[in-house]
Amino acid sequence: MITHDLLDAYEAVKGEYELLPWGKRPDEKLWGAVDGLLLDLHLVKHGYATDGYEKFLEKELKRLCADDTVIERIRGMRM
């Protein structure tokens, strides 16, 4: 699950996974999920996604994020 701790690490290195120390690297799949969600939210914000994709994205956010506060935090992050 994507948590605030993961987002703290993500923001600390501005999304650059390779900058994290070896012993402190979270799961690469979750890291990639954050990248993907940020890109998708950017596309939605700028009108490049269909209504159907927006609904899919909402389900993905709920599936991948620990709670609503994590979802809101991701929505507030910039690429």
Side-chain angles (χ1 to χ4, degrees):
M1 298 236 83
I2 298 171
T3 63
H4 286 288
D5 289 339
L6 177 66
L7 296 180
D8 288 344
Y10 190 93
E11 288 180 318
V13 295
K14 298 179 180 155
E16 298 293 330
Y17 187 77
E18 298 77 24
L19 296 179
L20 291 169
W22 279 101
K24 305 244 181 189
R25 290 185 177 181
D27 184 294
E28 273 188 81
K29 289 182 182 180
L30 281 178
W31 194 270
V34 173
D35 279 339
L37 290 170
L38 289 173
L39 176 60
D40 288 347
L41 288 167
H42 178 80
L43 294 174
V44 166
K45 180 180 178 182
H46 293 286
Y48 294 111
T50 64
D51 289 340
Y53 195 78
E54 286 184 53
K55 289 177 185 174
F56 168 77
L57 181 55
E58 288 303 314
K59 289 178 185 175
E60 283 297 285
L61 285 164
K62 289 178 182 174
R63 183 179 72 82
L64 293 170
C65 296
D67 60 36
D68 289 340
T69 64
V70 175
I71 293 171
E72 290 308 310
R73 184 169 172 190
I74 289 177
R75 288 184 189 284
M77 292 172 69
R78 294 181 178 214
M79 287 190 64

